[in-house]
Amino acid sequence: MPSGHPRGRDPRTPWAAAAPPRSSKREWKPLEDHSCTDVPWLFLFILFCIGMGFICGFSIATGAAARLLSGYDSYGNICGQKNVKVEGIVNSGLDLTHKKYVFFLDPCNIDLVHQKIKSIALCVSACPRKELKTLADIQKFAETNGSTLCSYELQPSEYTTDPRAAKLCPKYPVPESAPIPFFHRCAPVNISCYAKFAEALITFVSDSSVLHRLISGVMTSKEIIMGLCLLSLVLSMILMVIIRYISRVLVWILTILVILGSLGGTGVLWWLYAKQRISAGALETQIAKDNLQALLIYAIAATVFTVILLLIMLIMRKRVALTIALFHVAGKVFIHLPLLVFQPFWTFFVLILFWTYWIAVLLFLGTTGSPVPNEEGFVEFRMAGPLKYMWWYHVVGLIWISEFILACQQMTVAGAVVTYYFTREKRNLPFTPILASVNRLVCYHLGTVAKGSFIITLVKIPRMILMYIHTQLKGKENACARCMLKACICCLWCLEKCLTYLNQNAYTATAINSTNFCTSAKDAFVILVENALRVAAINTVGDFMLFLGKVLIVCSTGLAGIMLLNYQRDYTTWVLPLIIVCLFAFLVAHCFLSIYEMVVDVLFLCFAIDTKYNDGSPGREFYMDKVLMEFVENSRKSMKEAGRGGGAEGRELKPMASGASSS
């Protein structure tokens, strides 16, 4: 069976005459060689992960885990255990074995700038389960439950007589509170307590009737919400099937609508301009002249835009056919590789696990360090020396490892689709191409994924730093500095998107040839540049189709939600349930259709390589699907009519021989 790559170049074929010598071109050998790629980067990534593990171990070993889970008071004592004396702190080193909960004297006094509660924290044996309105109630609670809510130096009998009680006892009325599960902090039950620091939500939260209606709406309609979320999942799957069967009609309908919309808008603007000019002759005012001039500018701009759009459509008309064919073949890929549908769920699950771990370690880091007295006479835990910069390393780890997980998904999808494309007999596909792709990724290409994700990390970090600076300087910088910051952020964002697209194609090239990241990126870039117009067509028409698909799913789910919730008369407000449903529908649609988009991009690169190095002649048969074969044959016919050497399309299809069979 032919391998599908140019083993030898027959000088009798037109392609061989036009191609450079064999020594100057490296051959593509799909799925023939499997070798480890970018091994040094894999070792570097493993060392980085070991550093992440060291941060976690250090924070646990220094007692941060106990302080985080059990809680500690303002004097450095960990609740629920015996403590060591802190030099210079009066109430430190206490035995708090029977006092397992952290209680804040003023829990609603929160400092947003430093992100902490500005209140004395004490260890108590029980949280107040009902509101305490006076010092007498606090004293009675201490005598009844054995839980002293005032500072350690005050005895319960002194709560109502000692003048220091106003400062050392909680601010009353003391709200009803309950311990937070696993974290042993007494938290107020009524969230309206926090309206003081949530200025944007003061009115909303304080209006308990609105809050109660929204919460009751969610609770009463939970079955409807779950049903609508399931509906969005089903609609996403159905849409992926529909795109395959009506892709041709759908693309041309969208194209015609865009052309008619631009022509109609331009015509309306010129009509309004002519009408305004006739009426302005009788009314010579400055406002009328300004309006007339504005309409003229709008009409001219719309005309220029329409002409450019029509020219682009004229140039792209043949490439749109390729987009349609690729979407059709992508539908077949999902039929042969059904596990691709579930790929977003596994990736999302792994990301959730990693993010949970990352947040837990971040919380550990927040309580790591040595006890140091502050200016108020209480204890704070601070790290000294280079260790205080560990959280920077931790933030870089968040970005790099998250990008690594996403890149693993891209490599897995690319490997499975490449296997599908370059297997001539689809019945000979592996039993589970997805698992086979995962196996190749783990055995050979983790280093390539680590390198590609690190490049994205290098772009993300400066952009995040600039965004942080822009946020901190908001309202303080001048217009020029603000413009420069936004321009830099925008440029980095565009660079990140371009690199992400190039990375994805580099992973595809690695899945085909088992080459290192840089070699794969260079090879993929050459192929993309040679097919620049096709890439533009796929990334405009295709992405626009998928975007409309997301909008369609969200709108359909939202409409179904309005109809169902409208008949639910147990509550009056169903805005929040509808928002939840629409957000979930968009997330599901994005996950499914982004995989579809990824499959189309991989198929295109495989198709471009196939048409470049094969021409359908014996020994160099195409790998492509019959639908793509029809596109190739139609392109050949149009080349014969227009002349073999002319036109951009002719240059793109130059490697193909005119008399070859389509196999």
Side-chain angles (χ1 to χ4, degrees):
M1 183 180 294
S3 64
H5 66 88
R7 298 181 183 276
R9 298 187 177 178
D10 189 351
R12 292 172 294 179
T13 61
W15 169 57
R22 181 171 183 174
S23 58
S24 64
K25 281 278 188 178
R26 191 183 53 77
E27 297 180 0
W28 289 80
K29 299 180 179 179
L31 303 175
E32 288 193 6
D33 300 322
H34 294 297
S35 57
C36 295
T37 56
D38 296 295
V39 177
W41 280 91
L42 176 59
F43 286 126
L44 180 63
F45 182 73
I46 292 174
L47 288 175
F48 184 86
C49 291
I50 292 174
M52 293 284 289
F54 168 78
I55 292 177
C56 178
F58 173 80
S59 59
I60 294 175
T62 53
R67 285 194 288 270
L68 176 65
L69 297 176
S70 300
Y72 59 95
D73 61 14
S74 297
Y75 308 102
N77 300 301
I78 299 176
C79 299
Q81 68 179 48
K82 294 182 179 180
N83 295 275
V84 180
K85 178 73 175 178
V86 178
E87 192 67 29
I89 302 299
V90 177
N91 290 320
S92 63
L94 301 179
D95 183 0
L96 302 176
T97 306
H98 301 291
K99 297 183 177 183
K100 299 181 179 180
Y101 302 101
V102 180
F103 175 75
F104 299 95
L105 300 190
D106 188 6
C108 296
N109 186 9
I110 293 182
D111 183 0
L112 284 179
V113 176
H114 298 94
Q115 300 175 357
K116 63 181 181 179
I117 298 178
K118 294 176 62 177
S119 168
I120 297 176
L122 302 173
C123 294
V124 298
S125 56
C127 301
R129 293 289 186 163
K130 63 179 182 179
E131 187 179 59
L132 306 177
K133 299 181 179 179
T134 63
L135 281 174
D137 291 339
I138 297 173
Q139 185 180 44
K140 184 178 179 182
F141 177 78
E143 294 172 348
T144 305
N145 298 279
S147 182
T148 55
L149 303 183
C150 294
S151 188
Y152 303 130
E153 57 262 35
L154 281 181
Q155 297 299 320
S157 59
E158 302 173 337
Y159 287 179
T160 55
T161 58
D162 197 312
R164 298 176 298 168
K167 182 179 180 182
L168 300 179
C169 286
K171 183 179 180 181
Y172 51 86
V174 179
E176 177 187 357
S177 61
I180 300 175
F182 307 109
F183 287 97
H184 302 90
R185 269 79 168 177
C186 295
V189 175
N190 186 3
I191 62 172
S192 62
C193 161
Y194 298 109
K196 295 178 182 178
F197 70 90
E199 295 180 0
L201 299 176
I202 288 178
T203 306
F204 176 77
V205 174
S206 60
D207 187 356
S208 58
S209 61
V210 175
L211 181 63
H212 291 160
R213 286 202 304 270
L214 287 175
I215 294 176
S216 63
V218 174
M219 297 306 296
T220 308
S221 60
K222 57 182 180 294
E223 293 85 4
I224 295 178
I225 292 175
M226 294 177 65
L228 291 172
C229 292
L230 182 62
L231 174 65
S232 66
L233 190 65
V234 174
L235 288 177
S236 298
M237 294 182 177
I238 293 175
L239 182 63
M240 293 175 69
V241 178
I242 290 176
I243 288 177
R244 174 195 171 188
Y245 289 104
I246 67 167
S247 55
R248 184 182 300 275
V249 178
L250 188 59
V251 168
W252 287 120
I253 287 176
L254 292 176
T255 304
I256 292 171
L257 287 177
V258 170
I259 293 175
L260 291 179
S262 59
L263 289 174
T266 304
V268 168
L269 284 172
W270 280 114
W271 176 74
L272 289 174
Y273 170 73
K275 184 179 178 181
Q276 187 78 9
R277 186 173 183 179
I278 294 172
S279 61
L283 187 63
E284 291 290 340
T285 62
Q286 186 62 36
I287 296 177
K289 291 180 180 179
D290 292 342
N291 290 337
L292 187 64
Q293 185 178 4
L295 277 174
L296 178 62
I297 294 173
Y298 295 154
I300 293 174
T303 304
V304 172
F305 172 78
T306 303
V307 171
I308 295 174
L309 181 64
L310 290 175
L311 289 174
I312 292 175
M313 291 292 184
L314 184 64
I315 296 172
M316 294 286 192
R317 70 189 187 282
K318 295 180 181 179
R319 283 84 183 175
V320 170
L322 175 59
T323 304
I324 296 170
L326 287 173
F327 270 77
H328 188 83
V329 177
K332 291 185 178 181
V333 171
F334 280 96
I335 292 176
H336 286 88
L337 311 177
L339 288 180
L340 274 179
V341 176
F342 302 100
Q343 190 61 37
F345 296 106
W346 308 128
T347 304
F348 184 71
F349 177 72
V350 174
L351 282 173
I352 288 295
L353 288 180
F354 170 67
W355 290 341
T356 303
Y357 161 81
W358 188 87
I359 291 173
V361 175
L362 183 67
L363 293 175
F364 290 157
L365 285 176
T367 54
T368 300
S370 303
V372 178
N374 60 14
E375 60 276 4
E376 298 175 357
F378 300 121
V379 169
E380 290 183 357
F381 292 93
R382 299 174 184 172
M383 287 187 292
L387 294 177
K388 64 183 179 182
Y389 299 108
M390 281 197 301
W391 70 276
W392 278 101
Y393 189 98
H394 197 57
V395 170
V396 174
L398 170 67
I399 302 173
W400 191 3
I401 297 178
S402 297
E403 290 296 328
F404 178 84
I405 295 171
L406 294 173
C408 285
Q409 171 181 270
Q410 294 175 350
M411 180 69 86
T412 300
V413 173
V417 177
V418 163
T419 302
Y420 170 85
Y421 188 96
F422 289 107
T423 301
R424 296 187 188 280
E425 295 294 333
K426 305 308 178 191
R427 68 174 70 97
N428 295 332
L429 282 170
F431 178 69
T432 52
I434 290 288
L435 295 181
S437 179
V438 171
N439 181 62
R440 286 199 303 272
L441 166 65
V442 174
C443 294
Y444 301 109
H445 304 315
L446 284 178
T448 297
V449 171
K451 186 174 183 178
S453 56
F454 180 76
I455 292 173
I456 301 297
T457 304
L458 286 181
V459 180
K460 274 184 175 290
I461 291 175
R463 184 167 68 87
M464 293 178 65
I465 293 174
L466 289 178
M467 290 175 65
Y468 176 77
I469 293 173
H470 180 262
T471 304
Q472 295 297 313
L473 297 178
K474 198 169 185 178
K476 299 178 182 178
E477 76 279 18
N478 56 36
C480 181
R482 182 168 59 251
C483 182
M484 290 179 62
L485 270 176
K486 289 183 177 179
C488 292
I489 293 171
C490 182
C491 290
L492 287 173
W493 181 84
C494 293
L495 178 61
E496 179 187 334
K497 295 301 177 184
C498 293
L499 287 175
T500 301
Y501 182 73
L502 182 60
N503 277 12
Q504 181 178 321
N505 286 279
Y507 299 147
T508 304
T510 298
I512 295 173
N513 266 355
S514 285
T515 49
N516 289 332
F517 177 83
C518 291
T519 304
S520 299
K522 182 189 69 175
D523 294 340
F525 181 75
V526 170
I527 294 291
L528 294 175
V529 170
E530 291 175 352
N531 297 269
L533 293 178
R534 291 175 175 176
V535 173
I538 292 170
N539 285 323
T540 52
V541 179
D543 289 357
F544 186 62
M545 278 182 58
L546 295 178
F547 171 74
L548 289 182
K550 297 174 188 178
V551 173
L552 177 64
I553 291 173
V554 173
C555 292
S556 301
T557 308
L559 180 62
I562 291 174
M563 295 175 64
L564 290 174
L565 293 169
N566 188 47
Y567 290 100
Q568 188 77 22
R569 302 297 182 185
D570 296 337
Y571 54 91
T572 58
T573 303
W574 38 261
V575 175
L576 188 57
L578 193 62
I579 292 175
I580 293 173
V581 167
C582 288
L583 288 176
F584 183 84
F586 180 81
L587 179 63
V588 170
H590 177 73
C591 289
F592 275 89
L593 295 181
S594 63
I595 290 292
Y596 203 101
E597 179 183 2
M598 199 181 303
V599 170
V600 170
D601 290 337
V602 175
L603 284 173
F604 170 71
L605 190 65
C606 294
F607 170 78
I609 295 168
D610 197 9
T611 55
K612 183 173 182 178
Y613 292 100
N614 299 306
D615 57 13
S617 61
R620 290 212 304 270
E621 291 87 352
F622 288 123
Y623 286 97
M624 66 185 68
D625 190 88
K626 291 181 180 179
V627 178
L628 293 173
M629 201 84 72
E630 292 175 4
F631 168 79
V632 172
E633 292 300 326
N634 293 334
S635 299
R636 287 173 172 173
K637 291 177 183 178
S638 60
M639 281 194 305
K640 285 182 180 180
E641 296 172 0
R644 287 298 307 273
E649 187 72 23
R651 287 193 298 273
E652 287 187 8
L653 297 176
K654 194 171 183 178
M656 302 178 190
S658 59
S661 64
S662 62
S663 69

